[in-house]
Amino acid sequence: METLYLVAVHLGNPYVFLAAAAGVTWGILGGAMPGISPSITMALLLPFTYTMDPTGAIVLLASTYVGAEYGGSIPAILIRTPGTNAAAATVIDGYEMNKQGRAGLALGISLYSGVLGSLFGLTMLILLSKPLASVALAFTPPAYFALGVLGLSVIATLSGDSLLKGFVAALLGLMIATIGTDPVTGANRFTFGSSDLLSGIAPVLIMVGMFAMSELLVQASDRSEGTKVLSRPRIEFPGLKLARRLMFPQSIGATIGTFEGVMPGAGGTIASFMSYNEARRWSRHKEEFGKGSPEGIAAPETANNAVAETALVPLLSFGIPGSNSTAILLGGFLIHGLVPGPMLFTRSADVVHGLYAGLFIAAIGLLVIGILMLPMCIWLVNRPRPYLSAFIFALILSGIFSIHASLFDLAIMLAAGTVGFFMRMLRIPFLPAVLGLVLGYLVESSFRRSLVLSGDDLSIFFTDKVSLALLVVAFLFVAGSVGKRALDFVRHRPSAHYSEGSE
Amino acid sequence: MLSRDFVSGLAAISIGAIYLVFAYGLRTSALDDSVGPGGMPRAYGWMMLILGLMIAAGSIIKHIRSGAAPDLGIEWKGQGRRVVWAAGLLAIGALYIFGISTLGYPVAIALLLAAVSLYQGARPGVQIIAIGIGGAAFLWAVFVLVLGVSMPKGLFILL
């Protein structure tokens, strides 16, 4: 109840309102552009958040995520090209409805299902986050080390078809995190006499480089024109009868979206396909699926928007980003000196309540902005690709320079983009690298401080109850993932490419 | 032999080895804790090296088991072209970094917009010039006027 009151206080804050509205608008535009994922859309905003107040910055980024999940369904329905990975399931029936001249209704169902999914996800986020983080007071250096290990264990589910490559990527991130000043002794490491490297490499440079710049580099050789949107649909909402029919698939989407969002590494893509599948299984109109079923849009769209909210549960409670988008959001927290995890709710409760309020505004605002932005999205999707690429490149370079007014930062970002490009080529997932980078400091400093406290006795990690519990969970996480891979190998089933779809 | 997995393994081995050389070069002090500034980097370096070896070895074993040499033409199809195009885009970015201090932000970003558009396949013409000037004016307004970022003035230093 107290939480609701504190959230309500922020609802009247014009700054939060503006940040949420701007985030949703930018997110819809970014999500609507095929090839620009929600994480890239968010990464492009990261440099702008430096000058903002922490609450506004976090609300802006989180609202972008919400907007992008809906935006992805626009090209999915209109040109059979999902703007985001999670919108791939919407293509199946959305495009069929478009062919039948019902594009407006398909977009309307997608929009209002997204709003419902967001509101349900937000409710679950508020209900689940704080209790999970309430163990905060019991956290000691060994527990923080174990928390870092738990965060790194997520790599097991984010590594696509090769666990070893996932670990290589994570080690690369951990190595980058060692550049700069040593967290315990203050000695310089890997700075090569450069004053620019003394404070280490800011995660934002690596994130923008790996996510956005590497995408531009990959698309550099693409000379295809892309499909144009020829129709000019108007959003149309379903009548009462159809709305009642859609309630069940929407509740399936909300439930699966919540579950998949809370599980690090699962993500919106898996949630939307699972929801589509379950909605078809339980539907009274099974025969309509694949031929333009409104239920086939409602379930996945509710699910991927619920994920956009519930994916914040492991991030806020434990500081563990389970997807590319939440990794970028973590970058936003770190820029402002906020460390998501157990202490966030006590040290920066104001930011958390502001975030909840912003997400509520974003969910409601999605309904209005989604209608208003449709013509703009269609215009943007139809722009020639060379101009879009040029503008995104210019935006990245300008944004990165604006952080520290440093040309060195631009060089680091380009280098990270190049590394990301080759990682993509060698099929090495780069989300584990980002995880290693953001968790590297926590893991190393907590490990060494624990040893100083215990007089170099490693058993401190097992005698501390919270540490032991977290290490056991981390072990189960890795063992479960390895077990599943072994089972897939025995049954000759390909492992899921979670790293590519975990937006 | 040169499958993507094998090259990934070689890359990891190289990174691990180079990183280890520098990690062992880190100075130690009598005041350090037992792990010291070099402890974790050395552990990371060795782990990278071992993982690289495992990936490379796994790739070789996979090919021996399958009994047929991998078709490198299929494995790397189109990748050389991708690298060349990406290198070109990176070169434009590098030129921007070298030129921005002299030319100033508005001119450098206008040239970047025009150059990338042309490089990505836009037809040369008045539209490119308009995109360069219009885009630069928009970005200058956003970053300099709205966000108050101090962008390099270059040629415009006297203005």
Side-chain angles (χ1 to χ4, degrees):
Chain A
M1 205 61 199
E2 188 197 348
T3 305
L4 286 182
Y5 170 74
L6 292 167
V7 171
V9 170
H10 280 90
L11 286 176
N13 182 343
Y15 200 63
V16 169
F17 183 85
L18 278 175
V24 169
T25 307
W26 178 253
I28 293 175
L29 288 174
M33 283 194 281
I36 307 292
S37 62
S39 52
I40 295 175
T41 311
M42 291 167 75
L44 290 172
L45 274 185
L46 264 184
F48 294 89
T49 61
Y50 267 84
T51 50
M52 295 176 72
D53 102 304
T55 309
I58 303 304
V59 168
L60 180 74
L61 290 170
S63 306
T64 301
Y65 189 9
V66 173
E69 288 300 348
Y70 161 67
S73 71
I74 297 173
I77 290 167
L78 299 181
I79 53 173
R80 207 183 183 181
T81 308
T84 59
N85 290 337
T90 308
V91 170
I92 306 168
D93 284 291
Y95 187 66
E96 286 300 317
M97 283 184 74
N98 180 26
K99 282 203 298 189
Q100 294 160 10
R102 296 190 294 158
L105 181 61
L107 287 164
I109 291 170
S110 163
L111 181 56
Y112 106 97
S113 298
V115 172
L116 290 180
S118 293
L119 290 172
F120 185 82
L122 177 60
T123 310
M124 298 312 289
L125 171 67
I126 296 172
L127 288 174
L128 294 174
S129 293
K130 202 173 178 186
L132 281 174
S134 60
V135 285
L137 294 173
F139 270 66
T140 53
Y144 274 108
F145 167 72
L147 187 63
V149 172
L150 178 63
L152 289 174
S153 72
V154 173
I155 290 160
T157 55
L158 297 175
S159 301
D161 54 358
S162 171
L163 193 58
L164 293 180
K165 284 184 180 177
F167 285 132
V168 163
L171 278 171
L172 190 65
L174 289 167
M175 286 173 165
I176 297 170
T178 60
I179 297 171
T181 309
D182 177 51
V184 177
T185 64
N188 293 337
R189 297 189 299 189
F190 309 106
T191 54
F192 308 105
S194 165
S195 58
D196 290 304
L197 289 174
L198 279 178
S199 54
I201 293 176
V204 61
L205 306 180
I206 305 296
M207 287 180 182
V208 174
M210 282 193 173
F211 287 101
M213 191 64 222
S214 71
E215 181 66 35
L216 280 183
L217 294 175
V218 167
Q219 288 183 11
S221 61
D222 188 1
R223 290 291 175 278
S224 62
E225 264 297 300
T227 317
K228 304 279 184 208
V229 181
L230 300 174
S231 59
R232 290 287 179 273
R234 278 183 152 194
I235 286 184
E236 191 184 315
F237 291 106
L240 204 62
K241 193 180 168 195
L242 181 57
R244 243 188 252 145
R245 181 183 150 188
L246 296 179
M247 278 168 69
F248 188 63
Q250 281 164 340
S251 53
I252 288 175
T255 311
I256 292 175
T258 301
F259 182 74
E260 295 292 330
V262 172
M263 292 296 291
T269 313
I270 295 172
S272 48
F273 275 104
M274 274 179 73
S275 304
Y276 181 86
N277 205 34
E278 291 310 308
R280 183 174 54 186
R281 187 200 306 269
W282 297 101
S283 174
R284 288 179 187 169
H285 309 273
K286 282 191 186 74
E287 70 290 349
E288 286 183 23
F289 276 77
K291 295 170 190 161
S293 166
E295 293 173 57
I297 298 172
E301 283 302 314
T302 311
N304 66 36
N305 270 78
V307 168
E309 316 274 343
T310 51
L312 304 187
V313 174
L315 178 68
L316 296 183
S317 310
F318 297 113
I320 299 171
S323 65
N324 292 337
S325 304
T326 47
I328 301 290
L329 190 59
L330 173 61
F333 275 102
L334 296 177
I335 283 171
H336 291 278
L338 303 167
V339 183
M343 295 309 285
L344 184 72
F345 289 82
T346 44
R347 285 187 189 157
S348 311
D350 199 42
V351 175
V352 177
H353 295 131
L355 172 62
Y356 291 160
L359 285 171
F360 180 75
I361 296 166
I364 302 297
L366 184 62
L367 203 60
V368 181
I369 298 169
I371 297 170
L372 296 177
M373 291 302 292
L374 184 61
M376 177 76 176
C377 288
I378 293 172
W379 179 82
L380 203 62
V381 169
N382 285 345
R383 286 314 88 205
R385 195 187 286 261
Y387 299 139
L388 278 176
S389 296
F391 194 76
I392 291 171
F393 197 13
L395 196 64
I396 292 172
L397 290 169
S398 307
I400 290 295
F401 182 84
S402 69
I403 299 171
H404 299 123
S406 162
L407 293 177
F408 186 78
D409 282 359
L410 291 182
I412 294 285
M413 186 279 296
L414 285 182
T418 310
V419 171
F421 172 80
F422 283 109
M423 286 172 81
R424 283 171 187 246
M425 183 183 283
L426 297 174
R427 296 175 188 139
I428 299 174
F430 46 68
L431 184 54
V434 173
L435 265 178
L437 176 66
V438 296
L439 293 172
Y441 179 86
L442 176 77
V443 169
E444 182 176 6
S445 60
S446 311
F447 178 71
R448 288 168 62 186
R449 280 183 190 133
S450 304
L451 288 185
V452 169
L453 281 174
S454 68
D456 295 333
D457 183 4
L458 283 168
S459 67
I460 190 171
F461 298 108
F462 305 102
T463 51
D464 184 290
K465 282 177 188 167
V466 179
S467 166
L468 180 65
L470 291 171
L471 286 174
V472 168
V473 175
F475 173 77
L476 290 175
F477 222 75
V478 176
S481 179
V482 172
K484 187 182 176 298
R485 281 163 201 276
L487 210 64
D488 287 344
F489 181 75
V490 171
R491 290 179 180 172
H492 301 287
R493 225 169 40 190
S495 291
H497 289 264
Y498 294 132
S499 59
E500 287 165 23
S502 56
E503 282 294 351
Chain B
M1 184 67 85
L2 281 172
S3 66
R4 292 194 202 204
D5 285 351
F6 187 73
V7 174
S8 304
L10 286 186
I13 292 168
S14 312
I15 293 168
I18 295 167
Y19 184 80
L20 271 176
V21 169
F22 289 106
Y24 275 99
L26 290 171
R27 283 184 196 169
T28 49
S29 154
L31 297 172
D32 287 346
D33 55 314
S34 60
V35 178
M40 296 296 261
R42 283 170 204 160
Y44 296 156
W46 280 113
M47 281 194 273
M48 184 68 111
L49 207 68
I50 293 165
L51 281 171
L53 283 168
M54 286 170 74
I55 293 171
S59 157
I60 294 169
I61 293 167
K62 192 176 159 189
H63 294 144
I64 292 172
R65 270 190 184 171
S66 66
D71 189 338
L72 295 181
I74 294 171
E75 179 80 353
W76 295 99
K77 192 184 174 192
Q79 296 307 314
R81 188 172 156 267
R82 273 190 161 186
V83 171
V84 171
W85 279 103
L89 193 62
L90 274 175
I92 295 173
L95 283 174
Y96 170 84
I97 296 175
F98 284 117
I100 187 171
S101 302
T102 312
L103 297 173
Y105 178 71
V107 176
I109 208 76
L111 288 174
L112 178 106
L113 282 164
V116 175
S117 301
L118 282 171
Y119 187 71
Q120 293 289 89
R123 286 182 196 156
V126 183
Q127 204 173 1
I128 295 276
I129 300 169
I131 290 285
I133 295 172
F138 174 76
L139 289 168
W140 183 81
V142 170
F143 283 95
V144 179
L145 294 183
V146 179
L147 296 174
V149 178
S150 176
M151 290 293 191
K153 292 192 173 69
L155 299 169
F156 298 87
I157 193 110
L158 298 174
L159 295 178

